[in-house]
């Protein structure tokens, strides 16, 4: 399975992807996982071991669902046990993807410092309250939910009123893709 963050979700899901000898990426591999109509689909490097008519990965690299790709690292097949795919150290691609996520975070619209601090303090207080007084924590979370829905709806209405909203620009400001940005605005517009 891939790597995700709560903030960016599927817009920036990372995996250790396969790279073929010619530098290209293989087509997705499909696996029959049972008697249903569903097939498991992956582009993760481990599926490309040369078996079952699938190509063999020459290298691995971090790959993000947004299209970003990290540097390639050769796969030392001769050093891996016959079925020792788990032996390959993939910490490098994971670090590369984490750096990509930090870059994405750096391009998002910044929160005002006082609001960022307030959110951090609120998080600490809510988790402490959940430990000490769970019912009070739920009451506080419900109040926050009402507040965030109202503020989200206000922001979404203002974005919609602008009319010239470019979903790519909004997505970039939020660190997500254009479709997810549009869905976020729509979700808040539909809340009452």
């Amino acid at each position: 399975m891939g790597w995700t963050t709560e903030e960016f979700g599927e817009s920036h899901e990372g995996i250790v992807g396969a790279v073929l000898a010619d530098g290209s990426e293989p087509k997705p591999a499909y696996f029959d996982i049972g008697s249903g109509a569903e097939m498991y689909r992956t582009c993760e490097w481990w599926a490309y071991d040369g078996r079952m008519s699938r190509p063999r990965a020459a290298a691995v690299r971090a790959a993000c669902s947004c299209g970003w790709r990290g540097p390639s690292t050769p796969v030392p097949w001769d050093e891996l046990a016959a079925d020792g795919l788990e032996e390959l150290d993939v910490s490098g691609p994971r670090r590369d993807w984490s750096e990509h996520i930090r870059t994405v975070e750096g391009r998002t619209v910044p929160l005002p410092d006082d609001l960022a601090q307030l959110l951090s303090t609120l998080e600490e207080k809510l988790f402490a309250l959940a430990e000490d007084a769970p019912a009070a924590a739920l009451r506080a979370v419900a109040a926050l939910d009402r507040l965030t829905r109202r503020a989200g709806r206000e922001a979404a209405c203002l974005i919609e009123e602008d009319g010239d909203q470019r979903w790519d620009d909004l997505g970039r400001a939020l660190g997500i893709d254009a479709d997810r940005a549009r869905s976020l605005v729509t979700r808040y517009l539909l809340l009452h």
Side-chain angles (χ1 to χ4, degrees):
M1 290 291 126
W3 311 306
T4 60
T5 64
E6 278 188 275
E7 183 174 5
F8 304 127
E10 293 176 2
S11 291
H12 290 283
E13 182 175 2
I15 62 167
V16 179
V19 180
L20 301 178
D22 65 1
S24 67
E25 292 183 4
K27 293 179 180 176
Y30 291 89
F31 297 90
D32 186 0
I33 56 172
S35 60
E38 294 293 317
M39 298 280 283
Y40 177 72
R41 174 183 182 244
T42 188
C43 291
E44 293 181 72
W45 86 274
W46 54 263
Y48 303 96
D49 59 1
R51 292 187 235 172
M52 301 182 70
S53 301
R54 290 188 301 270
R56 191 173 191 184
V60 296
R61 67 178 169 199
C64 186
S65 60
C66 73
W68 172 89
R69 298 296 185 262
S72 296
T73 303
V75 176
W77 288 107
D78 54 333
E79 297 174 18
L80 299 176
D83 197 26
L85 296 180
E86 67 278 352
E87 294 174 10
L88 183 69
D89 179 13
V90 294
S91 60
R94 175 64 189 245
R95 280 190 304 275
D96 294 338
W97 178 81
S98 294
E99 184 59 36
H100 164 64
I101 292 302
R102 281 190 288 282
T103 300
V104 169
E105 288 171 340
R107 289 191 309 242
T108 60
V109 63
L111 293 177
D113 290 340
D114 61 334
L115 182 59
Q117 181 58 47
L118 180 62
L119 289 171
S120 178
T121 301
L122 184 60
E123 181 179 22
E124 290 173 22
K125 288 190 176 288
L126 281 174
F127 277 97
L129 187 60
E131 290 283 325
D132 297 339
L138 283 177
R139 184 172 180 209
V141 168
L144 278 172
D145 184 49
R146 290 187 300 273
L147 173 65
T148 58
R149 283 186 286 138
R150 286 193 319 267
R153 181 163 170 70
E154 178 69 18
C157 286
L158 291 171
I159 286 170
E160 185 182 59
E161 283 177 18
D162 184 22
D164 285 337
Q165 180 57 49
R166 297 174 66 169
W167 298 110
D168 288 331
D169 293 342
L170 180 61
R172 207 171 4 269
L174 298 174
I176 56 179
D177 60 48
D179 289 339
R180 191 156 174 231
R182 184 188 316 248
S183 292
L184 183 65
V185 169
T186 301
R187 184 179 93 199
Y188 281 111
L189 286 173
L190 296 175
L191 292 176
H192 293 89

